[in-house]
Amino acid sequence: MTTVGILVFGVLAAVFVIWALRGLVVAVFFNDTGEKDNGWWWGAFNPDKACSKIGTSCGAANGVVMPVLLLTISTLLFLAWRLGRVRRFCTRKARKEAGSFVQTAGSLMDEVVGRDQLCNAIMNNLRDRKARRPHIVVANVGASKTALLVRLSEKLAAKGAVPIPVRLRDAQGDSLDFCELARQRCQEIVQPVVRSDGEVDRIWRWLRQRADRIVVLGDGLEETLSRNHASGQRDNLIRKAIRKAGEEGLPLVIASRPHEPLRAMQAAMTELEPLSAEAALQYIARSGSWRSDSLLLDRVVEVAKMPESPIYLQIAKDLHRKDLLEPLWTEGGTTDPTLHDTWELRGDLMERWLDALVDGEVHPELPIDRDTRSVVVSHISALACIGLASDRAEVGLWELDPRTAETSSATRRLAVEHTGAV
């Protein structure tokens, strides 16, 4: 619906409301026939007096005008209800299911701590149409970039905005358009509550252009357009896409590892700082019992330098919940922090956590027996090594076992043949 159409519908709806209220007031307060000849107390115009002489004409006019006005206000109410329903659906998912709402977060992401100040600063800039710029948050692997987007999504939804998270590694064509990526992702999100693709387009245009409610959250810029590395066009395509988003006023926040295209980017660059030691300590301590030793926790956080790599915060919290953290610190026979090495402690934390995961002490809700857990951990560890060696976040199973590629190819071929037969 165009702006002119909305304005016309709004005026007609206002006329309908005023006419209905006037009729109600006259029926309640001016129903005395003696008063009717004198007109309204707030003006001389008295349609009731005029219609008493030309009742047939007034009845015909009312019979035509009132259904049109009623249809107008009904349409506006229906559109407002549909728009509100879709917006509430998106914001509810962002607030209550943020871990699954942000595709790159994974289903096991826990509470996000220590990022509210940065989120508030970004939101303040995005709120101002004149001053807003695309934001790029830069940090190395494991520094909680995705966690920041999860928390930002929750806070935006709480303020009435509609966050649209997009997985940037899915953009592998010859061009990059953040607005189009977000529109496609929005269509996937609202599919359960819309009637047609046309309705999605109308809602998208309203939220994006008129209500200015859409905020795009992109994760994994370093993996975008990776197939264009050989052509040498990737860096220019990324810079052009971000510049276009800024010129169009698209609220855009991107998380990325440091890489070449970030140089000379027309965006606000923010290096993600480590969490504070206090926030890290509070996060772990909440999972323990009253018997836990706060001094010991403080030493573990300090020696392992957990604020610099928040993945170890989750590991320490899981171990502390099962009372496995304190034995790990004291089993070496010394509690002196100066005698503990950071990387050695991190390695011990990871090994103990993996053992607890295999034994079912960590995430017991997963319906997997011990042998299967052990096999899964071994395979995922190998895939992680491949990803680290090639600097990729997505690794195909066939890279570990070539036979998997043959099986997948055969499965796809059978599926195509079956579809053709049907």
Side-chain angles (χ1 to χ4, degrees):
M1 184 181 296
T2 63
T3 303
V4 175
I6 294 175
L7 181 62
V8 171
F9 268 54
V11 171
L12 292 178
V15 170
F16 174 82
V17 173
I18 293 172
W19 190 257
L21 288 176
R22 179 207 168 276
L24 180 63
V25 170
V26 170
V28 175
F29 298 104
F30 297 91
N31 55 5
D32 188 349
T33 56
E35 295 287 339
K36 184 172 64 174
D37 294 338
N38 296 327
W40 295 37
W41 63 268
W42 57 76
F45 176 65
N46 191 345
D48 295 295
K49 180 179 179 181
C51 285
S52 63
K53 300 178 181 180
I54 49 173
T56 302
S57 299
C58 285
N62 277 334
V64 174
V65 173
M66 292 307 292
V68 173
L69 296 179
L70 183 60
L71 177 62
T72 299
I73 194 169
S74 300
T75 302
L76 280 181
L77 290 175
F78 176 76
L79 292 176
W81 173 73
R82 292 295 299 168
L83 177 63
R85 185 185 181 203
V86 172
R87 186 170 64 84
R88 287 191 300 272
F89 178 79
C90 293
T91 55
R92 190 186 307 115
K93 287 183 69 68
R95 286 186 287 109
K96 298 184 177 181
E97 306 172 23
S100 58
F101 186 68
V102 179
Q103 296 167 294
T104 52
S107 60
L108 299 179
M109 173 163 285
D110 201 3
E111 176 189 3
V112 181
V113 295
R115 298 304 184 190
D116 284 357
Q117 186 175 1
L118 178 56
C119 289
N120 292 336
I122 293 175
M123 289 170 60
N124 288 336
N125 178 259
L126 295 179
R127 190 179 293 114
D128 188 347
R129 291 192 181 190
K130 296 181 179 179
R132 85 166 49 131
R133 300 178 61 193
H135 286 259
I136 301 179
V137 180
V138 183
N140 290 315
V141 177
S144 73
K145 298 184 299 296
T146 302
L148 171 70
L149 295 184
V150 170
R151 183 57 179 156
L152 183 58
S153 177
E154 294 173 342
K155 292 179 72 66
L156 285 168
K159 293 295 185 180
V162 182
I164 304 295
V166 294
R167 187 168 51 192
L168 296 180
R169 70 166 175 257
D170 292 341
Q172 297 296 341
D174 297 326
S175 62
L176 178 61
D177 189 331
F178 291 104
C179 189
E180 179 60 23
L181 283 175
R183 190 196 66 78
Q184 294 174 5
R185 174 60 178 152
C186 179
Q187 186 171 7
E188 296 175 4
I189 294 172
V190 304
Q191 202 62 44
V193 292
V194 296
R195 301 174 183 273
S196 65
D197 292 342
E199 184 179 14
V200 176
D201 291 336
R202 288 192 296 272
I203 292 173
W204 170 263
R205 287 196 299 270
W206 177 264
L207 291 174
R208 165 71 185 93
Q209 298 174 0
R210 294 183 177 85
D212 196 29
R213 297 275 185 171
I214 297 294
V215 179
V216 183
L217 308 177
D219 196 9
L221 183 66
E222 70 280 355
E223 297 180 89
T224 302
L225 305 178
S226 57
R227 298 174 187 171
N228 292 330
H229 269 302
S231 65
Q233 295 297 317
R234 176 177 180 270
D235 295 0
N236 291 332
L237 290 174
I238 291 177
R239 292 191 182 100
K240 181 180 178 181
I242 293 179
R243 183 174 65 251
K244 178 183 177 182
E247 292 172 350
E248 294 178 349
L250 176 68
L252 175 64
V253 182
I254 300 173
S256 173
R257 282 182 281 169
H259 67 302
E260 186 65 26
L262 298 182
R263 297 182 180 180
M265 194 73 69
Q266 295 184 11
M269 306 287 295
T270 303
E271 291 189 10
L272 191 60
E273 297 180 353
L275 293 171
S276 67
E278 182 180 359
L281 184 60
Q282 291 178 354
Y283 174 75
I284 300 173
R286 283 199 295 266
S287 65
S289 65
W290 61 274
R291 299 187 200 82
S292 60
D293 186 346
S294 58
L295 179 59
L296 182 146
L297 288 179
D298 186 42
R299 289 175 176 175
V300 171
V301 170
E302 178 186 358
V303 174
K305 297 182 180 178
M306 291 183 183
E308 297 179 5
S309 186
I311 186 174
Y312 290 100
L313 287 177
Q314 178 65 50
I315 291 175
K317 182 179 180 180
D318 289 341
L319 294 176
H320 189 48
R321 184 183 291 116
K322 298 297 181 179
D323 294 325
L324 298 174
L325 190 58
E326 293 186 15
L328 181 66
W329 177 262
T330 58
E331 66 184 8
T334 178
T335 58
D336 186 356
T338 61
L339 300 179
H340 286 269
D341 179 72
T342 297
W343 291 106
E344 181 180 359
L345 179 57
R346 287 184 175 185
D348 292 341
L349 285 168
M350 181 65 75
E351 289 182 7
R352 183 61 59 89
W353 185 82
L354 289 175
D355 291 340
L357 182 63
V358 171
D359 292 336
E361 295 180 281
V362 174
H363 296 300
E365 72 278 5
L366 301 176
I368 307 175
D369 59 65
R370 189 182 189 284
D371 293 338
T372 305
R373 284 173 177 256
S374 179
V375 172
V376 170
V377 167
S378 298
H379 279 74
I380 291 179
S381 299
L383 291 172
C385 291
I386 295 174
L388 288 172
S390 56
D391 193 26
R392 286 179 292 138
E394 185 174 3
V395 180
L397 189 60
W398 59 268
E399 297 181 63
L400 184 62
D401 186 354
R403 293 175 298 178
T404 306
E406 298 175 1
T407 304
S408 300
S409 177
T411 303
R412 289 194 296 269
R413 186 167 57 254
L414 288 173
V416 171
E417 293 175 356
H418 176 70
T419 303
V422 172

